[in-house]
Amino acid sequence: MAGRPTLTREFLISFRRLLHRSPELSWKETGTSQLIWQALEQLGLEPRRVAQHGIVADIPAEETGPLVALRADMDALPITEETNLSFASETPGVMHACGHDGHTTMLLGAASALVDGAPLKYPVRLLFQPAEETGKPTFPSPSPFPTRQTTGVASATSCTIQRTQTSSPKDCC
């Protein structure tokens, strides 16, 4: 797959700042999903929609068999941003306080590097998870995404959580 278009550093910085400016709550990630879809197509991948706003895309490899799954969450929190950053949230009462804008951008950066790098021995599945902040499974079991489990009272701003894997990557979508 080497030689395909890559997502430049400048693109990724702009992408992350755009996501940060335009956060969307769980199950409302319409714009976020569309931006991810376009970036994946720019890389020559064939994304598919899952769980309303979720996206899965596979990077093919020389062999079939086991695959590696990489996941990023994409929803925001109902928190008012008070950072005064030049790219602060423009959505009243909603912000990316847990870094999901960064997670999504990092996964796109990884996708770009993998697509443009040496041929892969095994395929890689990219998972962009909607509604992670709900604390409920995004899909019926078995799910390709981990579920959020909190112990005691967890602060939405600190995102101190435990994650458990609900299925193996081979069960994914």
Side-chain angles (χ1 to χ4, degrees), residues 60-153:
E62 295 175 340
E63 298 179 25
T64 59
L67 61 80
V68 174
L70 303 174
R71 180 192 71 85
D73 29 30
M74 44 195 261
D75 53 339
L77 291 165
I79 297 172
T80 298
E81 183 164 4
E82 298 175 0
T83 65
N84 296 317
L85 293 168
S86 62
F87 52 91
S89 173
E90 296 174 356
T91 306
V94 181
M95 76 173 287
H96 278 293
C98 268
H100 293 186
D101 52 335
H103 300 166
T104 296
T105 304
M106 286 184 272
L107 185 52
L108 285 174
S112 181
L114 290 167
V115 164
D116 195 46
L120 301 171
K121 182 171 182 176
Y122 295 109
V124 174
R125 179 158 292 162
L126 308 170
L127 307 164
F128 294 88
Q129 179 183 358
E132 187 269 345
E133 292 295 350
T134 64
K136 299 174 184 168
T138 304
F139 296 116
S141 187
S143 169
F145 299 129
T147 58
R148 167 181 275 203
Q149 294 182 343
T150 58
T151 49
V153 178

Side-chain angles (χ1 to χ4, degrees), residues 35-58:
L35 291 169
I36 294 166
W37 189 280
Q38 291 168 351
L40 292 170
E41 285 187 326
Q42 184 177 330
L43 291 173
L45 299 176
E46 298 177 6
R48 57 192 184 277
R49 197 136 336 257
V50 293
Q52 192 174 350
H53 300 298
I55 296 175
V56 174
D58 292 331

